[in-house]
Amino acid sequence: MRFLFLYILFFLPYITYAELLFECEVLECEIPQSQSQYKFSFKFKNVSSNSIRILSVKSSCSCTVATPEENIYKPNESGEIKGIFNIGNRQGLQEQEIIVHTDSVSQSLIKLKLKINLLDDYEINPRLLYWERATESVSKEVTLVIRNPEWVLSNIKYDKNKFTVNVVRNKDKYVIIVKPVSPEIAIRDLLKISLENKSHETKTFALHALVK
């Protein structure tokens, strides 16, 4: 009993002292790698009965800068830690750690994390269309997504004696509908899909189509 009293006397004040409660400590998102920056925010609330001072906010990389709106937060007061992630020439999944130091005895260090998946400017799926010979001639679809607004689908070159091609657009998404002219014979073709930007630069990639 005496030990329990001493435990409450000496340790309980440190457990209940002060705390910032974050809505989310790990922020995950997907953005185009052509985007120059990504702005983020970690929202929180002081759920303790004491004021809390944020002493510093540091990130694991100089490409990420984060700062709190204020330095001191009173009980029940809400706030945000806002930041900017500079993309540069980075690709793929990026993980950035943000360390928040406070004057709270029970919560002197808070670890926040950014998980940012940088997506390619464009994506096409599938890259191969296949039909079995002597079966019913059916249309197959290819989805082209262009995430960089600087680029648009400009042209598709293919052999019109072998396939028919139609395109349906919905904002940054194109559905390319391909159908063999005749499924009775073995044929193959290379559909050349070209993108063009405002400076009239082009990007071309291939879509394989075959009846076998």
Side-chain angles (χ1 to χ4, degrees):
M1 190 69 181
R2 182 179 178 183
F3 174 79
L4 179 61
F5 174 77
L6 292 174
Y7 178 86
I8 294 174
L9 179 64
F10 290 103
F11 291 96
L12 190 57
Y14 295 97
I15 296 174
T16 61
Y17 176 60
E19 186 175 4
L20 297 180
L21 181 62
F22 281 80
E23 292 183 3
C24 175
E25 294 187 359
V26 179
L27 184 60
E28 299 183 65
C29 66
E30 292 184 335
I31 58 175
Q33 67 183 37
S34 58
Q35 190 172 316
S36 61
Q37 293 181 329
Y38 172 68
K39 295 181 179 180
F40 59 89
S41 172
F42 289 95
K43 297 182 179 181
F44 61 86
K45 184 177 182 180
N46 182 356
V47 296
S48 74
S49 57
N50 302 280
S51 293
I52 299 177
R53 179 188 294 272
I54 294 180
L55 303 175
S56 66
V57 178
K58 298 180 180 179
S59 63
S60 56
C61 175
S62 60
C63 61
T64 304
V65 180
T67 55
E69 289 183 308
E70 304 288 343
N71 290 327
I72 300 176
Y73 292 87
K74 297 177 181 179
N76 295 317
E77 186 177 0
S78 298
E80 291 181 74
I81 291 178
K82 295 183 178 181
I84 296 176
F85 168 64
N86 295 298
I87 296 172
N89 59 358
R90 293 173 178 81
Q91 297 178 338
L93 180 62
Q94 304 292 313
E95 295 191 14
Q96 304 292 328
E97 192 172 62
I98 298 168
I99 306 297
V100 181
H101 293 273
T102 76
D103 65 351
S104 166
V105 175
S106 63
Q107 196 187 29
S108 62
L109 186 148
I110 304 165
K111 290 185 178 182
L112 307 174
K113 181 169 283 190
L114 285 175
K115 289 185 177 181
I116 302 174
N117 190 17
L118 300 177
L119 303 174
D120 291 336
D121 285 354
Y122 61 84
E123 180 180 344
I124 184 168
N125 187 50
R127 291 282 188 127
L128 170 66
L129 296 179
Y130 171 77
W131 291 262
E132 289 188 6
R133 191 171 58 173
T135 58
E136 184 181 357
S137 181
V138 296
S139 300
K140 295 195 175 183
E141 295 183 353
V142 173
T143 301
L144 169 65
V145 179
I146 303 177
R147 301 185 180 93
N148 186 341
E150 294 291 319
W151 295 87
V152 295
L153 175 64
S154 62
N155 189 30
I156 301 178
K157 292 182 178 180
Y158 61 98
D159 189 338
K160 295 182 180 179
N161 295 317
K162 297 179 180 179
F163 294 94
T164 63
V165 176
N166 293 290
V167 178
V168 178
R169 181 180 180 181
N170 182 10
K171 296 182 181 179
D172 63 344
K173 180 180 178 181
Y174 298 82
V175 177
I176 303 171
I177 305 167
V178 184
K179 184 178 180 180
V181 172
S182 174
E184 301 297 325
I185 57 175
I187 55 176
R188 67 172 61 233
D189 196 12
L190 197 64
L191 284 69
K192 296 181 179 179
I193 301 173
S194 298
L195 310 183
E196 185 176 3
N197 64 11
K198 296 178 181 178
S199 301
H200 301 293
E201 298 173 325
T202 60
K203 292 181 180 180
T204 302
F205 49 95
L207 169 64
H208 297 266
L210 66 113
V211 179
K212 186 176 180 181

